Amino acid sequence: MQHTDSGEKIDKLKEIVENSENIVFFGGAGVSTESGIPDFRSVDGLYNQKYKYPPEVMVSHSFYRSHPEEFFEFYRNKMVALEAKPNAAHLKLAKLEKEGKVKAVITQNIDGLHYMAGSQEVMELHGSVHRNYCEKCRKFYPVEYIMESSGIPECECGGRVKPDVVLYEEGLDYETMQRAVSYIRNAEVLIIGGTSLAVYPAAGFIDYFRGSHLIVINMDKTARDVHADLLIQEKIGEVFEQI
């Protein structure tokens, strides 16, 4: 019974996608788990692994300042997954953008997989491991520079090279937020995927949606399930493969 129900939902999603030219996708960690990147909050996610400090402390701005060596050790080991490849969800979103259907991808992920898949209009709310800057002279460094250095990565000017990722206690980039909100506000269809919508302020952006179809694709319950026109509790890559 559940299988037909699921099939009907996929058909409905297909129909909505086929009939729309203004879709915005808002995604979180669940979009990348099928590419082998662990989700922070899931049972086997980073938050439940044992470190000297809790992971949420280790990815905070104050820890980055006070324990930079330990921060970078954790960052290299746990936050960067260069072997990860885009999965069916990333690839289908890029294809739908080329077809003029998806207007923007808004992501809470820092892995850069949407860009790697070919999406152009991507708002990375929490930054990207692929961008790293010297805090002193602003010189840009690729992720390989961080991974191949040891201890605290330093610029040739002597400044510290910081990943362009939003740590706890840091604010989101204002311009990125504004663009994300604008896309959501003007979208006809909003697909929320692979996020529990637990992280603010990003989760609050959904309140700006005024369009006709709110679709939630997530394995676990989310705060927006009751508002969704279509709720699909399956793996997002598998769902996107079928549309």
Side-chain angles (χ1 to χ4, degrees), residues 62-79:
S62 44
F63 189 85
Y64 167 76
R65 287 271 160 247
S66 60
H67 298 74
E69 285 208 21
E70 283 158 296
F71 169 85
F72 278 105
E73 187 192 352
F74 181 79
Y75 181 82
R76 289 185 188 100
N77 287 338
K78 292 292 172 189
M79 307 281 287

Side-chain angles (χ1 to χ4, degrees), residues 190-192 206 209 212-216 224 227-230:
L190 179 62
I191 302 176
I192 298 171
I206 311 303
F209 179 62
S212 45
H213 297 288
L214 178 65
I215 298 159
V216 175
R224 299 290 161 147
H227 305 291
D229 303 297
L230 188 58

Side-chain angles (χ1 to χ4, degrees), residues 42-189:
S42 64
V43 181
D44 50 358
L46 285 184
Y47 278 8
N48 296 296
Q49 295 175 10
K50 294 291 167 268
Y51 278 90
K52 195 167 148 194
Y53 304 91
E56 58 268 44
V57 169
M58 297 179 86
V59 291
S60 69
H61 182 81
S62 44
F63 189 85
Y64 167 76
R65 287 271 160 247
S66 60
H67 298 74
E69 285 208 21
E70 283 158 296
F71 169 85
F72 278 105
E73 187 192 352
F74 181 79
Y75 181 82
R76 289 185 188 100
N77 287 338
K78 292 292 172 189
M79 307 281 287
V80 183
L82 293 184
E83 69 295 335
K85 296 277 180 284
N87 62 51
H90 299 103
L91 296 167
K92 181 57 69 92
L93 284 164
K95 183 170 180 280
L96 290 170
E97 184 188 46
K98 280 197 185 71
E99 292 168 4
K101 292 183 169 298
V102 166
K103 294 297 174 227
V105 168
I106 302 160
T107 180
Q108 296 171 292
N109 299 335
I110 58 173
D111 49 49
L113 290 177
H114 285 291
Y115 278 120
M116 206 185 288
S119 289
Q120 303 289 310
E121 194 60 10
V122 182
M123 271 123 275
E124 296 175 307
L125 296 175
H126 296 157
S128 170
V129 298
H130 295 279
R131 296 190 299 269
N132 304 274
Y133 296 96
C134 169
E135 292 185 314
K136 210 159 156 190
C137 75
R138 298 300 292 164
K139 184 179 158 143
F140 171 86
Y141 286 91
V143 63
E144 290 76 15
Y145 184 80
I146 302 281
M147 299 309 280
E148 287 158 16
S149 60
S150 56
I152 303 162
E154 283 192 356
C155 175
E156 53 204 21
C157 82
R160 185 192 296 176
V161 178
K162 181 183 188 289
D164 186 13
V165 299
V166 179
L167 303 174
Y168 282 109
E169 308 158 351
E170 292 180 342
L172 303 193
D173 177 69
Y174 181 73
E175 199 183 314
T176 309
M177 281 200 297
Q178 291 299 100
R179 281 174 60 216
V181 165
S182 170
Y183 272 116
I184 290 171
R185 187 186 272 133
N186 295 305
E188 183 199 351
V189 175

